[in-house]
Amino acid sequence: MGWIGESTEYLKSIKIRQILSQAISFGLIVTSALMIWKALMCWTGSESPVVVVLTGSMEPGFARGDILFLHMNKDPIRAGEIVVYNVEGRDIPIVHRVIKVHEARDTGEDYILTKGDNNYYDDIGLYAKDQLWLQRHHIMGKVIGFLPYVGYGTIIMTDLPIIKYILIGALVLLILTSKD
């Protein structure tokens, strides 16, 4: 009969108890992943402890598809460090190097200017309208490590959403047809 025929027959014979068991197992997997993510957020002090490089603006240091690990603490941000920042009006965080830090004498607040290693100009054009500097609240974290090219799957699923739907469909089919 073949794999598809056997799977169809199995789906027809599933009992409510099996469906509930599989739904609970799936819920536990999702909940565990969320708990791990929240624990990483607490441990690293960053709202996004792991990010994927989406462009070539930091080449040759970081290539498109690299996964970056972030950490944020109270230490001052210094020129030369690589940071991930987010500004108003942009949904996707940006990974660039700090090229200048200016401390205001009256408030003691740091003003930060960034630039991609592979870019000709600084990032003022990427900041929000009429914004010339980043402040500490814009910084999501400092890069402390990376895995080269491991995040390419994320880029492929973003660029080609059909791949994401095929993978989700295959996982759902696998869950439904597992005989455990």
Side-chain angles (χ1 to χ4, degrees):
M1 191 189 295
W3 180 79
I4 294 175
E6 289 176 10
S7 296
T8 305
E9 290 299 317
Y10 175 71
L11 285 174
K12 289 178 184 175
S13 70
I14 290 181
K15 296 184 177 27
I16 295 295
R17 179 177 249 174
Q18 289 173 313
I19 292 172
L20 286 174
S21 173
Q22 289 174 343
I24 289 170
S25 295
F26 180 73
L28 287 172
I29 290 168
V30 170
T31 304
S32 297
L34 289 173
M35 287 174 28
I36 290 169
W37 184 258
K38 287 294 186 182
L40 277 173
M41 286 175 65
C42 292
W43 182 60
T44 63
S46 175
E47 63 187 77
S48 184
V50 179
V51 295
V52 176
V53 178
L54 299 176
T55 68
S57 67
M58 283 301 292
E59 288 181 354
F62 298 121
R64 189 169 191 243
D66 289 355
I67 288 185
L68 305 179
F69 300 100
L70 307 181
H71 189 267
M72 194 65 187
N73 53 26
K74 302 283 185 201
D75 294 343
I77 296 170
R78 304 204 187 287
E81 291 182 320
I82 298 170
V83 296
V84 176
Y85 67 89
N86 205 350
V87 292
E88 293 177 29
R90 292 194 177 266
D91 295 333
I92 299 173
I94 299 170
V95 180
H96 281 173
R97 187 178 304 276
V98 175
I99 59 170
K100 191 181 288 186
V101 178
H102 172 73
E103 183 180 336
R105 291 182 188 193
D106 52 348
T107 63
E109 189 169 357
D110 289 337
Y111 293 93
I112 301 157
L113 182 63
T114 57
K115 176 186 170 297
D117 289 353
N118 200 22
N119 293 350
Y120 292 111
Y121 304 106
D122 60 36
D123 290 349
I124 291 175
L126 298 176
Y127 301 161
K129 186 178 179 187
D130 298 326
Q131 182 180 0
L132 300 176
W133 299 88
L134 294 175
Q135 294 172 313
R136 191 168 185 93
H137 69 272
H138 294 113
I139 307 295
M140 296 171 62
K142 301 175 190 178
V143 176
I144 59 169
F146 77 103
L147 287 173
Y149 304 111
V150 176
Y152 234 95
T154 302
I155 293 174
I156 290 170
M157 286 188 277
T158 302
D159 291 348
L160 301 168
I162 188 72
I163 301 292
K164 180 175 18 179
Y165 299 128
I166 290 170
L167 282 173
I168 290 171
L171 286 173
V172 167
L173 191 62
L174 256 166
I175 290 169
L176 290 175
T177 59
S178 71
K179 296 180 181 176
D180 293 338

